[in-house]
Amino acid sequence: MSKVVTRMFNAPADSDVVRAHERDLAALGERFERRGVAIEHEIEAVRGFAVAVPSWALGTGGTRFGRFPGQGEPRLLLEKLEDAAVVHRLTGAAPRVSLHIPWDVPDDPAAFRQAAAELGIGFDAVNSNTFQDQPGQALSYKLGSFSHTDPAVRRQAVEHNLFAIEIGRQLGSNAITIWLADGSNYPGQMSLRRSFDRVLACLQDVYSALPNGWRLFTEHKPYEPAFYATVVQDWGSSYLLASALGERAQCLVDLGHHLPNTNVELVVARLLGVGKLGGFHFNDSKYGDDDLTAGSIKPYALFLIFHELVQAKRERLPGFSPAYMIDQSHNIKDPLEDMLQTVDQLQLAYAKAHLVDHDALEVYQNAGDVVMAERILKDAFETDVRPVVAEARLRNGAALDPIAAFRASGYRARKAAERSGGAVYVPPRSL
Ligand code: RM4
Ligand code: MN
Ligand code: MN
């Protein structure tokens, strides 16, 4: 952690606030005790939770109608790193960054890795991008990348993925996430069957070049930018690809990449059941790929997803090692505050999922007692675990209340003064 970042957030928390927290924690501990739950165990579990911050979400996003950037946003990759370190410093739960290539390619990966390490930051999965044409690019992805009918375009797209892997390798990443925009806007535009075969063949090329210890994640999404038929549109297609590729290929579930009312915890359970759940892009949504703050719209669904994950961990499901990453776009919030809210929401959902009485749940399920089984879940979900999460943060050397600490630090105002005049490319929200 850089000295500057540390100093800025080192102001001791208001002692009244700390005392109030201690009382709340003690009261909750007493409640837990009555239920036979050790609060210490819960706190330690939350301390172990970590999630990666996306490099592309540290600036203000936008919609295709416009973008309203805030002051003091990062202009350079190093400044993004500095902001990511703030999220980790305040939450104690965001020690890694997930990079988007080529939006965020370090000029000197070794030096960049070193700078990140000094800030206490490592790297999670790298993301490739064949959904846009880059300046100077030889061939266009307008009609697809891996699914394109022209083998030269497919080759170019594969090469780009190999480049992303190479950058990731130098940074210490151990996975690549591939989300493809490939698809068609009109019936007849592409062969529904052959486009899938071509995608699989390209993925096989990338998969066979994976460094040792690396995983490949395929990410599905139902629509946008292809509005008629997206090649990897659902978890079933993603699963077909991952299983055809081999053991080191798994599926990545972006929570917003489902049609309204999809039971995402069921998707998670299915993928867990076949050892193919590779990771997550956390966010929330009302309609589609809205990229809203995790837990802001459907906190119960988020809890139920974590319930599946905690169960899988308890049962030591083979191959269970999901990569937790955030994928959001902040149109109207300060990106850093949104990240702090997000990590907090994830920690809360995780803490609640840890409270579920699994043995009792199984008894009720076996007895066909629907009401009591549901009550077990609701009881955990409705418990106010904020003191547990706050205590976990404190013990991890982070803030009791990250947003309050962030605002009190004056970080954004300071950065607004320092970071004037530059522009950084920020992807539109609709990506
Ligand atoms: C896509 C997808 C990818 C993300 C891009 C920016 O909708 O969620 O994961 O990298 O957006
Ligand atoms: Mn995503
Ligand atoms: Mn998305």
Side-chain angles (χ1 to χ4, degrees):
M1 181 63 50
S2 94
K3 286 197 188 65
V4 184
V5 173
T6 313
R7 212 179 311 127
M8 206 172 281
F9 294 102
N10 257 359
D14 184 329
S15 52
D16 285 348
V17 175
V18 174
R19 267 196 299 279
H21 160 68
E22 280 162 0
R23 281 202 301 274
D24 289 348
L25 188 68
L28 188 60
E30 224 182 282
R31 264 196 76 184
F32 278 15
E33 230 175 85
R34 267 181 271 141
R35 291 154 52 174
V37 175
I39 199 161
E40 276 302 313
H41 180 78
E42 298 303 313
I43 296 166
E44 289 309 308
V46 177
R47 285 188 71 187
F49 178 80
V51 64
V53 164
S55 65
W56 61 101
L58 292 163
T60 304
T63 68
R64 61 201 165 98
F65 300 108
R67 187 169 101 79
F68 302 96
Q71 299 282 305
E73 292 185 6
R75 299 158 302 179
L76 312 162
L77 193 48
L78 265 174
E79 291 176 349
K80 290 187 179 184
L81 211 56
E82 194 184 8
D83 282 7
V86 169
V87 180
H88 184 42
R89 172 74 184 85
L90 291 174
T91 62
R96 283 181 296 279
V97 167
S98 182
L99 283 187
H100 221 298
I101 312 291
W103 292 337
D104 292 312
V105 182
D107 298 330
D108 180 346
F112 186 66
R113 184 177 181 174
Q114 176 63 32
E118 278 163 24
L119 288 164
I121 298 294
F123 294 93
D124 212 312
V126 287
N127 301 262
S128 59
N129 174 341
T130 58
F131 47 82
Q132 282 177 322
D133 288 347
Q134 304 303 328
Q137 184 179 306
L139 303 164
S140 175
Y141 295 133
K142 178 177 174 183
L143 295 177
S145 59
F146 280 8
S147 73
H148 204 285
T149 50
D150 180 351
V153 177
R154 301 203 293 275
R155 190 66 232 155
Q156 177 182 282
V158 168
E159 290 294 339
H160 164 71
N161 276 269
L162 302 186
F163 170 71
I165 289 174
E166 178 50 26
I167 297 289
R169 199 188 56 74
Q170 293 182 42
L171 293 176
S173 295
N174 57 14
I176 180 166
T177 301
I178 304 180
W179 171 68
L180 299 168
D182 292 53
S184 54
N185 275 26
Y186 298 96
Q189 183 186 324
M190 74 178 186
S191 159
L192 298 181
R193 252 186 315 116
R194 285 189 201 104
S195 53
F196 190 79
D197 296 343
R198 289 193 289 264
V199 163
L200 175 57
C202 288
L203 283 171
Q204 266 154 348
D205 289 346
V206 177
Y207 184 80
S208 61
L210 279 183
N212 279 340
W214 270 58
R215 290 188 288 170
L216 182 156
F217 302 140
T218 63
E219 178 180 359
H220 61 276
K221 170 160 150 169
Y223 69 95
E224 194 213 12
F227 288 110
Y228 166 63
T230 295
V231 181
V232 192
Q233 60 142 350
D234 53 15
W235 73 270
S237 309
S238 177
Y239 171 72
L240 288 175
L241 294 170
S243 55
L245 290 173
E247 229 177 79
R248 292 197 285 150
Q250 289 181 307
C251 304
L252 182 134
V253 179
D254 181 311
L255 301 193
H257 288 191
H258 300 91
L259 296 174
N261 294 335
T262 299
N263 184 336
V264 181
E265 58 273 22
L266 183 62
V267 172
V268 170
R270 285 291 168 275
L271 291 173
L272 280 171
V274 290
K276 281 293 185 192
L277 184 84
F280 284 91
H281 274 176
F282 290 114
N283 52 46
D284 209 344
S285 77
K286 181 74 181 159
Y287 300 106
D289 189 22
D290 308 347
D291 280 329
L292 302 178
T293 315
S296 60
I297 309 285
K298 293 167 290 197
Y300 191 43
L302 185 63
F303 159 78
L304 293 172
I305 289 166
F306 273 108
H307 170 55
E308 292 303 321
L309 296 168
V310 169
Q311 254 180 310
K313 194 175 100 188
R314 268 172 60 102
E315 293 170 20
R316 297 201 169 81
L317 278 198
F320 178 74
S321 174
Y324 294 147
M325 295 174 274
I326 297 168
D327 179 5
Q328 290 180 178
S329 176
H330 322 290
N331 301 338
I332 55 168
K333 288 178 177 172
D334 179 314
L336 278 179
E337 293 194 354
D338 201 345
M339 279 299 148
L340 297 175
Q341 280 188 305
T342 300
V343 176
D344 182 52
Q345 285 297 308
L346 297 174
Q347 289 176 308
L348 288 170
Y350 184 72
K352 289 178 180 194
H354 257 273
L355 270 186
V356 171
D357 184 340
H358 294 266
D359 298 336
L361 181 63
E362 206 180 334
V363 169
Y364 291 131
Q365 285 174 345
N366 291 341
D369 194 334
V370 182
V371 168
M372 291 308 287
E374 188 191 12
R375 255 173 69 124
I376 293 285
L377 293 184
K378 282 282 187 164
D379 185 42
F381 176 66
E382 284 163 1
T383 305
D384 182 356
V385 294
R386 285 177 296 182
V388 167
V389 170
E391 182 64 18
R393 272 196 296 258
L394 281 185
R395 292 191 193 177
N396 278 352
L400 187 66
D401 178 343
I403 298 264
F406 178 73
R407 293 205 168 185
S409 74
Y411 180 82
R412 190 55 93 193
R414 210 166 315 196
K415 292 296 146 188
E418 270 172 45
R419 296 174 179 173
S420 56
V424 69
Y425 177 73
V426 176
R429 187 210 64 83
S430 57
L431 290 172

